[in-house]
């Protein structure tokens, strides 16, 4: 899983996510979600690029609603993987946006990029 703050900064991901992403959070640190999303080269399972705002985390952030999608991403170690991803916006007691939590798990394909 990973967390975005209300400004769109990637502020945390757990060790299970680090295994799939190819780099630990302590190595990467906090980065803007746009930079994080761009590095992953998100695509549909058919290979069509996905705009960051159309990814589950992007929909949860910009449209303020939960979203689920199957997608393909390139990890920081160059391995492309198919994922199932679900993201939820996080709201406070007064309805203010606190960020996004996304959970994802590996699907079937696995190949080394490039």
């Amino acid at each position: 899983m990973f967390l975005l703050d209300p400004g769109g900064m990637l502020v945390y991901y757990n060790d299970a996510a680090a295994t799939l992403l190819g780099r630990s959070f302590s190595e990467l640190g906090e980065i803007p979600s746009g930079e994080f999303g761009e590095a992953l080269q998100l695509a549909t399972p058919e290979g069509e690029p996905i705009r960051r705002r159309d990814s589950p985390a992007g929909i949860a952030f910009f449209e303020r609603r939960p979203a689920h999608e199957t997608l393909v991403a390139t990890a920081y170690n160059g391995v492309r993987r198919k994922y199932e991803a679900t993201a939820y916006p996080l709201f406070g007691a007064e309805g203010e946006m606190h960020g996004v939590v996304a959970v994802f798990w590996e699907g079937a394909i696995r190949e080394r990029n490039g």
Side-chain angles (χ1 to χ4, degrees), residues 70-81:
T70 301
L71 51 91
V72 176
T74 302
Y76 283 94
N77 61 6
V79 176
R80 279 188 75 71
R81 291 183 168 97

Side-chain angles (χ1 to χ4, degrees), residues 57-78:
I59 291 168
F61 186 82
F62 291 107
E63 298 181 24
R64 310 255 196 283
R65 65 179 176 87
H68 175 85
E69 190 71 48
T70 301
L71 51 91
V72 176
T74 302
Y76 283 94
N77 61 6

Side-chain angles (χ1 to χ4, degrees), residues 26-99:
S26 63
E27 292 175 294
L28 189 62
E30 293 185 8
I31 63 169
S33 60
E35 183 180 325
F36 177 66
E38 189 175 307
L40 297 177
Q41 302 171 23
L42 300 175
T44 68
E46 297 76 34
E48 295 294 319
I50 296 175
R51 295 183 319 162
R52 291 184 315 275
R53 71 178 309 116
D54 295 331
S55 71
I59 291 168
F61 186 82
F62 291 107
E63 298 181 24
R64 310 255 196 283
R65 65 179 176 87
H68 175 85
E69 190 71 48
T70 301
L71 51 91
V72 176
T74 302
Y76 283 94
N77 61 6
V79 176
R80 279 188 75 71
R81 291 183 168 97
K82 182 177 176 183
Y83 294 99
E84 296 290 326
T86 302
Y88 301 92
L90 302 172
F91 298 106
E94 302 296 318
E96 68 277 8
M97 176 70 142
H98 282 268

Side-chain angles (χ1 to χ4, degrees), residues 19-20 79-82 106-112:
T19 300
L20 295 176
V79 176
R80 279 188 75 71
R81 291 183 168 97
K82 182 177 176 183
E106 189 172 9
I109 71 165
R110 199 175 200 187
E111 59 191 57
R112 182 154 304 269

